[in-house]
Amino acid sequence: MADVIMKHSKAVIALWLVVLVCALPFGIKSGDVLEYDMNSMSGSSTEASDGQAIIDEHFSNSIDLSEILVISYSSSEELAAAQAIFVEFQNLMDDKYGAKTTVSNYGTYSKGDPNVEGILMIAIANNEGESWDIAHETDNIRDLVKEAKSNASAAYPEAAGLTTYVTGNDAITYDTENSSMEDVSKVDPLSILLIFVLLGLFFYAVVTAVVPPAVVGMAYGIALAAVYAIGCLMGVYYITQTLILVSMLGAGCDYAIFIITRYRDERKKGLSHEDALKTAIMWGGEAVFTSGISVIIGFAALALCDFAMVRTMGIILAIGIAIALVAALTFIPSLLNLVKDKIFWPSNIESYKRVEDKVQNGGKLGVHGHLSKGSKRYFAWLSRNTHKHSKLIAIALVVLCIPGLYIFAESEDSADMISVMPDSESVDGLDLIMTQTDGGTIMPTYIVLEMNESIATVGSLPYGGMSIPYVIWNEHGLDRAVPAVMKMTKDIAGYEIVGSVSGLNSWQIMYMAMESALETTDPSTINQALYEQMPSAVKGYVGMILAIASGQAPTHIDPTAFDAPWNSYVVSELTVANIIDGILNVGTGILSDDGQYVSVMVITTDKPMSADTMDFLAELRSDLHDGEESYDSVYHNIWSASYVAGTSASIDDMSKDIEDQFSMIRIVVAILLIVLLFFILGSYLTPIRSIITILLSVFLTVALTHVVFEGLMDTPVLFLIPIVLFVVLLGLGMDYEIFMTTKIRENKIKGMNNDEAIDNAIKEAGPVISLCALLMGGTFLTLVLANSSMLKELGFALGMGILIDGLLMVGYVSPALMHLMGDWSWKGPGFLTRRHGLNPDGSNMAVPAACGAAPADAERIGGEMPVRAVPATPEEVAKYKQECYSEVAVRQDRIAALNAEVKTLTDNKRIGRLDEEGEKELEAKRSELKAEKESLREFQRKSREGLRSGKGQ
């Protein structure tokens, strides 16, 4: 790979730019495919989705509450002003949108006397369905509300001061979309600024601070094209676009920094540009590739979820990381190959060396020098103390995790999507509705009943430009279905949390019941009493029918003179009961147009999706479905199936199904990562240890999130947070484990013993790992500035999780545990360990049966082997072996570098690019390589002889 990139660097960069140019037109349109309503992104069939499908298909007259105008009033005069606003608003909507919308009075609601204080709700129905997007008309509708208030204030001065809100599902979707765009415009610059500052301080260079985020930006532009493509097929939840940017910025910059840092470190050691770049690609690239694959596995596991919201999130995040990974492995090395050390401008390799020399030997230090000195001191201290106090660190970890695990186990996650919505006019309107009426008024729960047979004939009666529904019950309906549903609705109304229940009603049955209750047969008395009990949403229509049947003018009704009994005819063969039953059952969406389905509307007193509402749903479903005493069993001869639907039920199903599926997904991710690390590292225990430390990070982070948001901010933690945190942290957090572990293994391969390898890795890889953790954790933490509580929680949890894992676990815990484990960290099957230069027991196999090492200044090519004292004690033997390991590693690195040079020169000769000087250089390199190999073999032979003659063998 290194040879290909170094030969074709310009072509690699050109290819990336071409792909970017082709992707940008599609990426720009990615916002068009985003979804803002979680309910629209369901997955597998659930009870709630099946019930909602029946409502959508069979209930054409259900009340549309996608947009609602809410007007607050606090006196009878203000109520009159609110009614005037409604009239003006209705006229303005008719002028602007015509038949596209229907504006109707949904009634007044109040916790007290509605004539004195409360809210007037006005329903704005979209008559065009999905063919017209009323959500994006929300701003225009709000402008019409202001105009209506201004017009009404001419006759009612109070109108100008009334508080109004446009809310409802579509308005919430619109406000959430705008809030998301504001969040992105606020979070993105801050994330990039944070990355620029941290990189600038670390490298003390402007160009190096710009390159990683710029390359990730290029990768992000390409990833947006994937967002658009996937969104055209299945829709993408809006939060995904924010998460993919933050994830790619964090992970992509990590990968780029790791390779650039490795290149810089090798150049500081004196390697040529070519050798340094090859080493960076070989060792740094392996770590980056392994890390990237682990992240992709974690994100891709989300695609196993049935719910489209989670599935598309996983697919897109995995694609984004894959693009960032390939960019880091190809674009960054190609750029390094072309610009060389200029990437560190205005610094350079010599300036880095001078700073290090001053730090080690004394001298005047600038800002970079002080930072470098502080970093070296900290990581030297860290390496000593993780070694010295490894047992204490392990004990401290256990002590720290006990309360964290307790909070994790005992805390309950919330499905309350309302509580995590961004602040907006629509949310304020929703809150106002919930303070003045029952919490579930605009997000009711529905019980959908599938009847064994049709229970009525449904039709419509044209009158005064309106279409008034009517119902003619058949015997099965009036004698069996209606009483059964009325009995069930009465029982459900008995729940403490239920404010009201709207089920099947028969004017005939109600009339006879009122006749018996009032002990009178006078139609006027009975009708008046029933009329006063009607909900405000249908009261006017019921009064109109009673007035017509009683011979009154429908525009000037007198409730005291409703003298038409239930069975008197209004028109043709249709009685008062037929038409009022149509209004009460079909007009309100309770009875389907074919009489085959019934939808009982349940309005809870508590907020939708609150913990109490979710508990009620569980109890309601049990009463409907479970056991011989359930409604489904008792009334099996009336309906064949029942479903609990509605927004709360959908979220409840989603949260439970996602949690059930993630029980499997967690196991799959953990196993895949263990298998990946097993083959990459060739170790039995290190992959398991890595997974355990990251899982502890997850537990601690979830516990901390609950403490901060529930304990301090009184905001429930959404059920998605622990799920997304587990997958993301298991992937992204594994980056730092892999960076550290592969560096330790590299040191082992080069001849260090386990403890020395760990200490060296902390000093050399620790700074860049800490930088990467700060970068990624910081970019996620910028999300706490978002308007949405969901993004705040995600940002806090992911940011703190990355910092806990990268700074605490990888910085302290993992090295301490590996010190305690010793060579057990590297024990594995021989076919894997030998590939990495280790024996199956974890010891080095660089020199067979161990060997002695020559002094550092010995002649390595063609010279005589130095005479060393024969080791006489076990301590001397151990030291002798270690010196051998180090020397063999140095020689093998030199042989590898010579091999690469010979291969490059040979390739150039084959294609005719080698001149006479080149030919001489090739022959010299071949001779040097041959001599180096012979010297290594001689060195190994004499070292083994030295050990055999010593007391240690």
Side-chain angles (χ1 to χ4, degrees):
M1 178 176 172
D3 290 336
V4 172
I5 289 175
M6 295 179 72
K7 283 183 181 178
H8 307 290
S9 297
K10 292 181 180 179
V12 170
I13 291 176
L15 180 60
W16 272 104
L17 295 178
V18 169
V19 173
L20 176 63
V21 170
C22 295
L24 278 179
F26 301 99
I28 292 172
K29 298 191 291 183
S30 61
D32 298 341
V33 299
L34 300 182
E35 296 283 351
Y36 295 86
D37 182 7
M38 188 180 292
N39 288 327
S40 66
M41 302 200 67
S42 59
S44 59
S45 176
T46 64
E47 180 179 338
S49 65
D50 292 344
Q52 189 61 49
I54 292 173
I55 292 174
D56 294 340
E57 181 178 357
H58 296 282
F59 291 82
S60 60
N61 292 325
S62 58
I63 299 173
D64 184 353
L65 296 178
S66 56
E67 295 251 350
I68 303 170
L69 170 59
V70 185
I71 307 175
S72 177
Y73 62 89
S74 56
S75 66
S76 57
E77 291 79 12
E78 288 185 354
L79 173 58
Q83 298 285 4
I85 293 173
F86 159 62
V87 174
E88 292 290 342
F89 177 69
Q90 190 177 41
N91 293 333
L92 290 171
M93 288 290 290
D94 285 344
D95 291 342
K96 184 172 181 64
Y97 298 111
K100 287 185 176 180
T101 62
T102 299
V103 177
S104 56
N105 189 333
Y106 195 56
T108 56
Y109 296 86
S110 173
K111 290 292 179 70
D113 185 351
N115 294 315
V116 176
E117 179 181 10
I119 56 173
L120 173 66
M121 289 206 298
I122 299 164
I124 306 166
N126 175 11
N127 298 329
E128 301 294 314
E130 295 183 359
S131 63
W132 184 57
D133 185 10
I134 192 174
H136 284 87
E137 295 295 321
T138 301
D139 264 350
N140 293 329
I141 292 173
R142 285 169 177 162
D143 289 339
L144 294 181
V145 172
K146 294 176 183 177
E147 187 177 348
K149 288 172 66 177
S150 176
N151 294 345
S153 63
Y156 298 88
E158 298 89 349
L162 293 185
T163 301
T164 60
Y165 300 102
V166 174
T167 185
N169 289 336
D170 283 341
I172 290 172
T173 296
Y174 176 77
D175 286 342
T176 302
E177 179 179 352
N178 285 346
S179 177
S180 173
M181 294 172 65
E182 291 176 10
D183 288 342
V184 170
S185 65
K186 181 167 50 179
V187 168
D188 290 359
L190 186 60
S191 300
I192 294 171
L193 177 62
L194 174 67
I195 292 171
F196 183 80
V197 170
L198 289 176
L199 289 180
L201 291 174
F202 184 78
F203 289 102
Y204 211 65
V206 175
V207 175
T208 323
V210 172
V211 167
V215 172
V216 173
M218 175 192 68
Y220 177 65
I222 297 171
L224 286 181
V227 172
Y228 177 76
I230 294 173
C232 290
L233 298 176
M234 59 184 74
V236 177
Y237 196 47
Y238 77 98
I239 281 179
T240 304
Q241 190 175 38
T242 305
L243 285 179
I244 189 177
L245 174 61
V246 177
S247 299
M248 289 182 69
L249 272 175
C253 287
D254 281 2
Y255 303 150
I257 292 164
F258 204 76
I259 291 175
I260 293 173
T261 302
R262 187 60 188 264
Y263 170 78
R264 185 193 66 173
D265 292 346
E266 298 302 327
R267 290 285 288 127
K268 283 161 59 178
K269 292 176 183 178
L271 268 66
S272 66
H273 162 73
E274 290 77 12
D275 289 344
L277 185 55
K278 287 178 181 178
T279 302
I281 295 173
M282 181 174 67
W283 291 105
E286 181 192 26
V288 165
F289 178 77
T290 306
S291 299
I293 295 299
S294 70
V295 177
I296 292 169
I297 287 174
F299 284 148
L302 292 172
L304 298 176
C305 184
D306 287 337
F307 283 87
M309 180 195 74
V310 178
R311 184 168 64 250
T312 56
M313 182 185 295
I315 293 172
I316 289 172
L317 288 175
I319 291 174
I321 295 298
I323 295 172
L325 174 64
V326 176
L329 291 174
T330 58
F331 193 97
I332 292 293
S334 297
L335 187 64
L336 277 171
N337 191 40
L338 294 178
V339 302
K340 299 182 172 60
D341 296 344
K342 294 185 181 66
I343 198 168
F344 302 113
W345 185 89
S347 295
N348 54 52
I349 299 302
E350 293 305 317
S351 66
Y352 288 137
K353 290 180 179 179
R354 286 195 299 270
V355 169
E356 287 203 359
D357 182 64
K358 290 179 181 179
V359 169
Q360 292 175 359
N361 303 316
K364 187 176 180 180
L365 299 176
V367 174
H368 190 208
H370 283 291
L371 290 173
S372 178
K373 184 176 181 179
S375 173
K376 287 183 180 298
R377 282 184 174 180
Y378 171 72
F379 288 102
W381 172 88
L382 186 61
S383 68
R384 289 194 307 272
N385 284 277
T386 53
H387 190 166
K388 182 178 178 181
H389 303 294
S390 55
K391 292 181 181 179
L392 183 61
I393 292 173
I395 294 171
L397 175 66
V398 174
V399 172
L400 180 64
C401 286
I402 289 174
L405 290 171
Y406 175 79
I407 296 174
F408 177 85
E410 293 298 318
S411 58
E412 292 187 6
D413 302 321
S414 171
D416 189 354
M417 300 300 298
I418 295 176
S419 66
V420 296
M421 288 179 180
D423 294 334
S424 62
E425 177 179 331
S426 56
V427 172
D428 292 340
L430 197 61
D431 290 338
L432 176 61
I433 292 173
M434 293 178 183
T435 60
Q436 290 294 340
T437 185
D438 292 328
T441 298
I442 69 166
M443 290 185 184
T445 295
Y446 298 95
I447 303 172
V448 181
L449 304 175
E450 184 175 354
M451 297 296 166
N452 292 330
E453 59 183 88
S454 176
I455 60 176
T457 299
V458 177
S460 60
L461 175 69
Y463 181 82
M466 298 184 296
S467 179
I468 302 175
Y470 65 83
V471 168
I472 301 175
W473 303 107
N474 58 33
E475 183 178 351
H476 177 66
L478 187 61
D479 294 343
R480 300 169 63 191
V482 174
V485 176
M486 292 180 74
K487 169 67 169 57
M488 184 181 71
T489 55
K490 182 179 179 181
D491 293 343
I492 293 172
Y495 283 97
E496 185 177 352
I497 195 174
V498 173
S500 63
V501 184
S502 301
L504 285 179
N505 284 295
S506 164
W507 189 260
Q508 175 185 346
I509 294 175
M510 290 189 292
Y511 188 96
M512 292 179 175
M514 185 63 71
E515 181 181 57
S516 176
L518 297 177
E519 297 181 350
T520 179
T521 58
D522 177 38
S524 294
T525 304
I526 297 170
N527 285 333
Q528 183 182 6
L530 290 174
Y531 171 76
E532 295 299 331
Q533 291 181 356
M534 292 294 102
S536 58
V538 297
K539 193 171 186 177
Y541 297 103
V542 171
M544 180 183 68
I545 300 303
L546 289 173
I548 294 172
S550 301
Q552 301 180 36
T555 54
H556 298 84
I557 61 176
D558 178 9
T560 64
F562 289 153
D563 59 4
W566 68 268
N567 55 356
S568 59
Y569 291 100
V570 179
V571 59
S572 183
E573 298 295 320
L574 300 176
T575 65
V576 170
N578 293 144
I579 301 178
I580 293 182
D581 284 352
I583 294 170
L584 296 180
N585 296 289
V586 180
T588 57
I590 293 173
L591 182 65
S592 65
D593 296 337
D594 57 4
Q596 187 71 48
Y597 299 92
V598 171
S599 175
V600 178
M601 184 169 66
V602 182
I603 296 177
T604 57
T605 56
D606 208 356
K607 293 181 179 181
M609 293 171 279
S610 69
D612 288 342
T613 297
M614 294 309 194
D615 290 342
F616 160 70
L617 288 178
E619 190 174 353
L620 177 61
R621 282 173 164 160
S622 178
D623 289 345
L624 277 171
H625 311 313
D626 300 340
E628 295 181 357
E629 300 299 321
S630 66
Y631 293 111
D632 286 349
S633 296
V634 173
Y635 297 116
H636 68 276
N637 59 334
I638 298 175
W639 60 75
S640 57
S642 64
Y643 311 87
V644 177
T647 301
S648 296
S650 294
I651 297 298
D652 186 47
D653 283 348
M654 182 183 298
S655 64
K656 290 177 180 177
D657 278 14
I658 289 177
E659 182 58 42
D660 288 344
Q661 291 177 29
F662 264 84
S663 297
M664 178 269 295
I665 291 174
R666 289 186 182 99
I667 297 173
V668 170
V669 172
I671 291 175
L672 287 176
L673 288 179
I674 289 174
V675 171
L676 171 69
L677 294 181
F678 171 72
F679 282 102
I680 295 294
L681 300 176
S683 168
Y684 293 125
L685 297 180
T686 297
I688 298 173
R689 194 268 311 152
S690 299
I691 294 294
I692 290 174
T693 53
I694 292 179
L695 289 179
L696 291 177
S697 300
V698 174
F699 297 146
L700 290 174
T701 305
V702 171
L704 184 61
T705 304
H706 276 281
V707 170
V708 171
F709 282 90
E710 285 187 349
L712 301 180
M713 300 175 62
D714 196 29
T715 301
V717 176
L718 197 65
F719 71 94
L720 284 174
I721 304 303
I723 292 171
V724 174
L725 177 64
F726 176 89
V727 173
V728 172
L729 200 57
L730 209 58
L732 292 177
M734 188 62 73
D735 277 357
Y736 313 121
E737 282 285 345
I738 292 172
F739 289 165
M740 179 63 78
T741 305
T742 52
K743 181 60 178 177
I744 296 171
R745 188 195 64 187
E746 178 187 342
N747 291 339
K748 283 277 292 179
I749 294 170
K750 290 183 176 180
M752 298 182 190
N753 64 33
N754 190 66
D755 289 343
E756 289 174 337
I758 295 169
D759 293 343
N760 176 269
I762 292 174
K763 293 174 185 177
E764 292 196 2
V768 69
I769 290 174
S770 296
L771 171 68
C772 291
L774 289 172
L775 281 174
M776 190 180 297
T779 53
F780 276 121
L781 284 174
T782 58
L783 293 176
V784 301
L785 300 176
N787 292 322
S788 167
S789 292
M790 184 190 301
L791 280 178
K792 289 179 188 289
E793 291 179 359
L794 278 172
F796 178 84
L798 294 173
M800 291 306 300
I802 292 294
L803 293 178
I804 289 172
D805 186 67
L807 301 181
L808 177 62
M809 292 296 178
V810 176
Y812 290 82
V813 175
S814 294
L817 293 178
M818 293 186 78
H819 275 301
L820 293 174
M821 292 166 65
D823 282 341
W824 280 92
S825 295
W826 307 108
K827 289 187 177 182
F831 76 95
L832 288 176
T833 60
R834 292 190 185 96
R835 288 174 52 198
H836 304 305
L838 299 175
N839 291 309
D841 64 355
S843 62
N844 293 71
M845 59 172 292
V847 181
C851 66
D857 58 351
E859 285 290 331
R860 293 197 180 98
I861 303 177
E864 291 294 325
M865 294 302 300
V867 178
R868 290 187 51 84
V870 175
T873 67
E875 290 75 15
E876 290 177 345
V877 170
K879 183 179 179 181
Y880 197 79
K881 288 181 180 180
Q882 184 56 48
E883 290 173 346
C884 165
Y885 296 153
S886 299
E887 179 63 21
V888 168
V890 171
R891 289 172 179 265
Q892 287 182 328
D893 282 349
R894 176 60 181 163
I895 289 172
L898 285 169
N899 266 322
E901 292 181 51
V902 169
K903 183 179 185 304
T904 300
L905 291 168
T906 303
D907 290 342
N908 287 335
K909 179 180 180 180
R910 187 174 59 251
I911 60 177
R913 290 184 179 178
L914 216 59
D915 56 14
E916 185 176 348
E917 289 297 321
E919 294 277 3
K920 293 179 180 179
E921 183 182 2
L922 174 59
E923 291 304 317
K925 290 293 182 182
R926 284 173 174 169
S927 298
E928 186 179 355
L929 176 60
K930 181 179 179 182
E932 184 69 46
K933 289 179 178 179
E934 290 175 353
S935 177
L936 176 58
R937 286 193 291 270
E938 179 66 12
F939 176 74
Q940 292 171 328
R941 184 187 65 77
K942 290 189 175 183
S943 298
R944 286 195 293 272
E945 289 176 356
L947 274 178
R948 280 195 294 269
S949 62
K951 296 180 181 179
Q953 289 289 338

